[in-house]
Amino acid sequence: MNKVIALIPARSGSKRIPNKNIKELHGHPLIAYTIKAALNSKIFSRVIVSTDSEEIRDIALRYGAQAPFLRPKDMASDTASDIEWVSHALGELGDDLTDCFSILRPTSPFRQPETIQRAWKKFLEHPNYDSLRAIEKVSQHPGKMWRQEGDYIKPLMENPDKNDTPWHSKQYHALPEVYVQNASLEIAWTKVPLEHGTIAGEKIVPFFTEGYEGFDINKFEDWIIAEYLINNNLAQLPSIK
């Protein structure tokens, strides 16, 4: 039986939405929905919040998570990399060794316990892979994106078949399928950060989120959309009791 822990990153100092992780959404702090989804999935031996804030720590404890340490401030800036705080968290656990860890970001409130269970099952089906990452089909295809070179613009991605229509002039459904990662979840073997110096490694299992499971709140407009989805019963939040 593999032992797996949940790591929920919740730094203070969000700029686009002040105090985003603890801002109230439908009666509870945003982070509460991720904590409850993790706890109710029954997957994890521990659900741990990594934060630099005493206030966030207190809220995390109130909703059932653990927060046995505070993250150093230099690992809580808007330029700090994931590998920094993940390595710090795993190091702080010391002798409480774990086989795997899952990153569950608070900005994905529509992720359900069943989402986590589905992802965990898929991860276990590929034991020789380094990690699993949530992805979804892009809404804006990179084949229609451009980069500037001097006074000109050039396609970001070229159609390798020079005799065919350039990708920027094709309909979306005629373009090759491309996926973008979302913030819903990641799972990796604990050895991956040590051996690769990254949270993902090299061999990554794709996990395709469904519906609004991967919806990510990063800016104010996202918050408005989330409220609209909830108020119109278009998306469901994890149960909080």
Side-chain angles (χ1 to χ4, degrees):
M1 180 73 68
N2 291 303
K3 184 178 180 182
V4 57
I5 61 170
L7 296 176
I8 301 175
R11 69 181 182 88
S12 60
S14 173
K15 293 181 178 178
R16 287 181 286 187
I17 304 177
N19 298 313
K20 173 177 61 179
N21 290 318
I22 55 175
K23 180 178 170 66
E24 190 170 291
L25 178 69
H26 203 61
H28 296 280
L30 182 63
I31 193 173
Y33 298 105
T34 291
I35 292 172
K36 289 300 183 182
L39 291 171
N40 293 336
S41 73
K42 308 298 184 184
I43 295 294
F44 306 108
S45 61
R46 301 179 71 179
V47 175
I48 297 172
V49 170
S50 169
T51 183
D52 59 315
S53 163
E54 289 281 5
E55 182 180 12
I56 295 175
R57 173 194 247 175
D58 290 343
I59 291 172
L61 295 174
R62 189 192 319 158
Y63 282 90
Q66 300 177 31
F69 50 81
L70 286 177
R71 190 195 309 185
K73 289 292 184 182
D74 62 347
M75 296 182 186
S77 70
D78 54 6
T79 58
S81 61
D82 286 332
I83 188 62
E84 293 180 70
W85 70 262
V86 168
S87 296
H88 172 262
L90 294 176
E92 285 290 329
L93 294 177
D95 295 333
D96 186 17
L97 299 178
T98 181
D99 300 304
C100 314
F101 65 90
S102 177
I103 299 176
L104 304 172
R105 302 178 196 272
T107 51
S108 291
F110 301 125
R111 176 208 311 102
Q112 299 291 326
E114 294 79 10
T115 312
I116 300 170
Q117 292 167 352
R118 203 170 76 245
W120 178 237
K121 180 181 178 182
K122 183 163 187 180
F123 180 71
L124 293 179
E125 290 171 352
H126 298 82
N128 295 322
Y129 280 57
D130 295 322
S131 66
L132 171 146
R133 182 176 292 264
I135 61 173
E136 60 188 54
K137 190 177 289 188
V138 296
S139 58
Q140 297 186 32
H141 200 285
K144 290 183 174 290
M145 295 181 181
W146 300 79
R147 55 188 171 85
Q148 185 173 359
E149 288 191 3
D151 296 331
Y152 301 91
I153 58 172
K154 291 187 175 181
L156 181 65
M157 293 178 64
E158 300 274 6
N159 187 340
D161 184 353
K162 300 302 181 183
N163 296 318
D164 192 17
T165 304
W167 281 345
H168 59 76
S169 296
K170 285 194 170 191
Q171 296 292 331
Y172 177 92
H173 295 291
L175 295 170
E177 290 189 352
V178 177
Y179 298 88
V180 62
Q181 67 185 38
N182 61 49
S184 179
L185 57 84
E186 298 151 67
I187 304 174
W189 297 103
T190 304
K191 64 182 180 181
V192 169
L194 298 175
E195 295 179 357
H196 295 274
T198 70
I199 60 171
E202 297 177 355
K203 296 179 68 177
I204 304 169
V205 182
F207 174 68
F208 302 97
T209 51
E210 301 173 356
Y212 292 103
E213 289 176 333
F215 185 86
D216 189 30
I217 299 178
N218 270 312
K219 53 186 184 296
F220 182 72
E221 296 92 323
D222 299 329
W223 195 279
I224 298 300
I225 293 171
E227 289 181 328
Y228 176 85
L229 293 172
I230 295 165
N231 293 335
N232 289 275
N233 297 315
L234 297 174
Q236 183 180 2
L237 292 164
S239 175
I240 294 182
K241 296 180 180 179

